[in-house]
Amino acid sequence: MYTMVRDIIASVLFVRDLGRCLTFYRDTLGLEMQNSDAHSAGFKMKDIYFLLLDSSAAASLIDSEEDELKTKIEGGPRGLLAAEVEDVDAAYEELSAKGVTFRRPPTDQPWGKRTAHFADPEGNLWEINQPIESKPEE
């Protein structure tokens, strides 16, 4: 079977305050920065390139109706990024100690994952997860 789209190679978040978000992702989450310029900051996460892109730059890149798209982009989160971690509970404790506010603490889900949810400084939603069977014994 032919599949036109075979792999997601990058994930891009549109942000209003690039500096504040850069600090959060680099210093709080500990992501390693690959590159940056006045409108973006890029991080390498295993096989995915993760980019923070200023919403004005995003609007001019994606659509000729820049003002209209910028208003849509700045309307709030429209998705969730999920990242696997070795130990959800340990990551939850570490991030909480760094001031990250979780919307939901570690919870076992019926689909076999232990998850916790938080938002970045602009409200972009994140899930950290691990398979329940890999949960460390207490």
mmCIF file of all heavy atoms in Angstrom, residues 18 22 33 35-42 51-54 57:
data_model
loop_
_atom_site.group_PDB
_atom_site.id
_atom_site.type_symbol
_atom_site.label_atom_id
_atom_site.label_comp_id
_atom_site.label_asym_id
_atom_site.label_seq_id
_atom_site.Cartn_x
_atom_site.Cartn_y
_atom_site.Cartn_z
ATOM 1 N N LEU A 18 9.109 34.161 22.391
ATOM 2 C CA LEU A 18 10.148 33.183 22.091
ATOM 3 C C LEU A 18 11.158 33.071 23.232
ATOM 4 O O LEU A 18 11.536 31.970 23.617
ATOM 5 C CB LEU A 18 10.850 33.538 20.781
ATOM 6 C CG LEU A 18 11.962 32.585 20.336
ATOM 7 C CD1 LEU A 18 11.427 31.179 20.106
ATOM 8 C CD2 LEU A 18 12.642 33.123 19.087
ATOM 9 N N LEU A 22 11.861 29.690 25.117
ATOM 10 C CA LEU A 22 13.204 29.133 24.980
ATOM 11 C C LEU A 22 13.770 28.781 26.356
ATOM 12 O O LEU A 22 14.304 27.694 26.574
ATOM 13 C CB LEU A 22 14.123 30.128 24.258
ATOM 14 C CG LEU A 22 15.609 29.798 24.266
ATOM 15 C CD1 LEU A 22 15.898 28.489 23.583
ATOM 16 C CD2 LEU A 22 16.379 30.925 23.617
ATOM 17 N N MET A 33 19.610 22.685 22.804
ATOM 18 C CA MET A 33 19.342 23.560 21.673
ATOM 19 C C MET A 33 20.312 23.264 20.534
ATOM 20 O O MET A 33 21.511 23.143 20.748
ATOM 21 C CB MET A 33 19.430 25.023 22.092
ATOM 22 C CG MET A 33 18.856 25.960 21.060
ATOM 23 S SD MET A 33 18.482 27.597 21.703
ATOM 24 C CE MET A 33 20.098 28.173 22.107
ATOM 25 N N ASN A 35 19.959 25.140 17.382
ATOM 26 C CA ASN A 35 20.195 26.415 16.718
ATOM 27 C C ASN A 35 19.110 27.399 17.106
ATOM 28 O O ASN A 35 18.088 27.017 17.653
ATOM 29 C CB ASN A 35 20.236 26.236 15.189
ATOM 30 C CG ASN A 35 19.030 25.492 14.670
ATOM 31 O OD1 ASN A 35 17.909 25.731 15.103
ATOM 32 N ND2 ASN A 35 19.239 24.581 13.746
ATOM 33 N N SER A 36 19.376 28.673 16.814
ATOM 34 C CA SER A 36 18.365 29.699 17.079
ATOM 35 C C SER A 36 18.666 30.927 16.238
ATOM 36 O O SER A 36 19.777 31.109 15.758
ATOM 37 C CB SER A 36 18.330 30.072 18.567
ATOM 38 O OG SER A 36 19.524 30.725 18.932
ATOM 39 N N ASP A 37 17.637 31.735 16.054
ATOM 40 C CA ASP A 37 17.787 33.043 15.421
ATOM 41 C C ASP A 37 16.752 33.967 16.059
ATOM 42 O O ASP A 37 16.139 33.602 17.060
ATOM 43 C CB ASP A 37 17.656 32.964 13.892
ATOM 44 C CG ASP A 37 16.309 32.447 13.415
ATOM 45 O OD1 ASP A 37 15.282 32.655 14.112
ATOM 46 O OD2 ASP A 37 16.265 31.845 12.333
ATOM 47 N N ALA A 38 16.528 35.114 15.499
ATOM 48 C CA ALA A 38 15.619 36.092 16.098
ATOM 49 C C ALA A 38 14.175 35.610 16.159
ATOM 50 O O ALA A 38 13.383 36.119 16.951
ATOM 51 C CB ALA A 38 15.686 37.406 15.324
ATOM 52 N N HIS A 39 13.810 34.613 15.337
ATOM 53 C CA HIS A 39 12.410 34.179 15.255
ATOM 54 C C HIS A 39 12.176 32.724 15.650
ATOM 55 O O HIS A 39 11.027 32.275 15.654
ATOM 56 C CB HIS A 39 11.884 34.385 13.833
ATOM 57 C CG HIS A 39 11.986 35.795 13.369
ATOM 58 N ND1 HIS A 39 11.176 36.792 13.862
ATOM 59 C CD2 HIS A 39 12.827 36.387 12.498
ATOM 60 C CE1 HIS A 39 11.510 37.936 13.294
ATOM 61 N NE2 HIS A 39 12.510 37.718 12.473
ATOM 62 N N SER A 40 13.253 31.976 15.959
ATOM 63 C CA SER A 40 13.059 30.555 16.237
ATOM 64 C C SER A 40 14.164 29.990 17.117
ATOM 65 O O SER A 40 15.236 30.581 17.250
ATOM 66 C CB SER A 40 13.018 29.765 14.924
ATOM 67 O OG SER A 40 14.284 29.817 14.283
ATOM 68 N N ALA A 41 13.867 28.831 17.687
ATOM 69 C CA ALA A 41 14.855 28.057 18.444
ATOM 70 C C ALA A 41 14.576 26.593 18.166
ATOM 71 O O ALA A 41 13.437 26.140 18.278
ATOM 72 C CB ALA A 41 14.751 28.351 19.937
ATOM 73 N N GLY A 42 15.611 25.853 17.780
ATOM 74 C CA GLY A 42 15.447 24.453 17.423
ATOM 75 C C GLY A 42 16.168 23.527 18.386
ATOM 76 O O GLY A 42 17.261 23.834 18.866
ATOM 77 N N LEU A 51 10.881 22.589 17.052
ATOM 78 C CA LEU A 51 11.141 23.998 16.787
ATOM 79 C C LEU A 51 10.116 24.886 17.473
ATOM 80 O O LEU A 51 8.916 24.618 17.424
ATOM 81 C CB LEU A 51 11.078 24.255 15.270
ATOM 82 C CG LEU A 51 11.413 25.663 14.795
ATOM 83 C CD1 LEU A 51 12.903 25.944 14.932
ATOM 84 C CD2 LEU A 51 10.974 25.849 13.352
ATOM 85 N N LEU A 52 10.607 25.931 18.127
ATOM 86 C CA LEU A 52 9.757 27.016 18.615
ATOM 87 C C LEU A 52 9.832 28.103 17.561
ATOM 88 O O LEU A 52 10.926 28.529 17.180
ATOM 89 C CB LEU A 52 10.276 27.557 19.944
ATOM 90 C CG LEU A 52 10.388 26.567 21.094
ATOM 91 C CD1 LEU A 52 11.035 27.235 22.304
ATOM 92 C CD2 LEU A 52 9.030 26.009 21.456
ATOM 93 N N LEU A 53 8.693 28.558 17.082
ATOM 94 C CA LEU A 53 8.658 29.550 16.020
ATOM 95 C C LEU A 53 7.756 30.704 16.429
ATOM 96 O O LEU A 53 6.590 30.491 16.791
ATOM 97 C CB LEU A 53 8.150 28.919 14.716
ATOM 98 C CG LEU A 53 8.140 29.779 13.466
ATOM 99 C CD1 LEU A 53 9.529 30.279 13.104
ATOM 100 C CD2 LEU A 53 7.551 28.982 12.300
ATOM 101 N N ASP A 54 8.298 31.906 16.402
ATOM 102 C CA ASP A 54 7.534 33.111 16.714
ATOM 103 C C ASP A 54 6.286 33.144 15.833
ATOM 104 O O ASP A 54 6.356 32.898 14.630
ATOM 105 C CB ASP A 54 8.427 34.328 16.459
ATOM 106 C CG ASP A 54 7.694 35.616 16.661
ATOM 107 O OD1 ASP A 54 7.582 36.059 17.820
ATOM 108 O OD2 ASP A 54 7.224 36.183 15.655
ATOM 109 N N ALA A 57 6.422 35.159 12.603
ATOM 110 C CA ALA A 57 7.223 34.502 11.561
ATOM 111 C C ALA A 57 6.462 33.319 10.982
ATOM 112 O O ALA A 57 6.508 33.077 9.776
ATOM 113 C CB ALA A 57 8.567 34.062 12.133
#
